[in-house]
Amino acid sequence: MKTSPDSPVDDFATLQTKALLVHERLCAEYGAPFRFFSVKDPLSELISALLSHRTRNQDSHRAYQQLRAHFSSWDAVRDAPTAEVQEAISACTWPEQKAPRIQHVLREVSQRCGGPCDLAFLAEMPIPEARAWLEQLPGVGPKTSAATLLFSSLRLPAMPVDSHHHRVAQRLALIGPKVDEKLAHKLLAELLPPAWDAQQVYDHHEALMFHGQKCCYFHTPACGRCVVLNLCPFGQAQVTGDR
């Protein structure tokens, strides 16, 4: 049967079975359960996520630490001269764009909350509503909203999809080859059991991300040592082509 290039070739039940088998193997390969790397409150995690866009982890971490060291509070960041914020986050990419965006986000949060706010109230909302609230903020898309809910002290089971996760999912044909990251968040989250808690969702994201970093490289993936090779049409084609 011929399918749209934007659609996976398998039916939902088959895809879900495959996704769970991939989860099991990759979690075993990379040592799940994984320890959460962050203990930030949700507003701080949101700002950290905005700084991380198209930036290496070490650089965005340095920019975040410098921002927190320079200003006493997020309200102080919001009200500071933009040039001062830009200088504080100079370690990240495009600080001239991120500084005004962060201030815009902080102003929007203050206005919508009616004063100082750490976004802890999001824990009381269903995850789709909490994500929608965040995604109304400037520059906040599905990856940032999910990261804010999952990585922060809220520990809500919303799954972010980064570029590594996205690439691995496409090569495994869990999503179609033309599915962008925005739609990928919806399609890949639907494959996970709805009863999964934050740790299980975090393990799934981290395992696929690690696989993209350590084996399923953008260039010259190491398909010959891949633990999910028999589930991966891309990898099987690569190995066959190498012979």
Side-chain angles (χ1 to χ4, degrees):
M1 180 188 301
K2 188 173 181 178
T3 61
S4 162
D6 296 316
S7 303
V9 295
D10 297 319
D11 61 47
F12 179 80
T14 302
L15 285 173
Q16 188 173 57
T17 299
K18 178 192 274 192
L20 295 179
L21 186 53
V22 167
H23 171 86
E24 180 181 327
R25 289 190 194 172
L26 294 184
C27 283
E29 176 72 6
Y30 297 110
F34 305 110
R35 181 179 178 182
F36 278 90
F37 68 88
S38 177
V39 293
K40 299 181 186 72
D41 67 84
L43 181 58
S44 297
E45 189 63 52
L46 173 60
I47 301 304
S48 177
L50 291 170
L51 287 169
S52 74
H53 288 179
R54 304 296 182 184
T55 301
R56 293 184 304 173
N57 287 342
Q58 62 188 34
D59 293 335
S60 64
H61 177 73
R62 185 152 50 96
Y64 177 84
Q65 293 299 323
Q66 290 174 350
L67 187 65
R68 294 310 304 261
H70 190 81
F71 295 98
S72 60
S73 67
W74 292 124
D75 286 351
V77 174
R78 178 196 64 200
D79 299 334
T82 301
E84 191 175 345
V85 177
Q86 181 178 327
E87 176 62 26
I89 64 170
S90 59
C92 71
T93 56
W94 306 310
E96 71 283 357
Q97 298 175 20
K98 292 178 180 177
R101 178 174 295 169
I102 285 169
Q103 289 185 301
H104 191 178
V105 165
L106 290 170
R107 286 194 292 270
E108 286 286 321
V109 168
S110 296
Q111 182 176 0
R112 291 169 67 183
C113 291
C117 178
D118 65 3
L119 302 182
F121 70 90
L122 293 174
E124 302 170 8
M125 302 168 65
I127 288 175
E129 291 182 20
R131 294 187 67 169
W133 194 97
L134 289 166
E135 289 172 27
Q136 292 172 9
L137 298 169
V140 176
K143 177 183 172 183
T144 301
S145 71
T148 300
L149 298 178
L150 179 64
F151 298 158
S152 76
S153 56
L154 293 177
R155 299 289 191 258
L156 296 176
M159 186 177 70
V161 178
D162 71 356
S163 58
H164 299 292
H165 187 159
H166 185 256
R167 180 174 67 255
V168 172
Q170 284 189 320
R171 289 176 174 175
L172 285 162
L174 293 173
I175 53 176
K178 295 187 178 180
V179 170
D180 62 20
E181 286 191 23
K182 181 176 182 179
L183 181 56
H185 279 82
K186 176 179 183 296
L187 297 178
L188 292 174
E190 288 174 349
L191 294 177
L192 303 184
W196 270 15
D197 61 19
Q199 182 67 60
Q200 290 168 303
V201 172
Y202 184 69
D203 288 345
H204 187 77
H205 165 70
E206 292 287 289
L208 270 77
M209 181 189 72
F210 285 143
H211 195 58
Q213 292 174 334
K214 299 174 183 291
C215 181
C216 193
Y217 311 120
F218 182 80
H219 295 296
T220 59
C223 299
R225 59 176 175 83
C226 175
V227 296
V228 291
L229 177 60
N230 71 315
L231 301 173
C232 182
F234 174 89
Q236 291 171 23
Q238 291 290 109
V239 170
T240 302
D242 288 343
R243 291 174 180 170

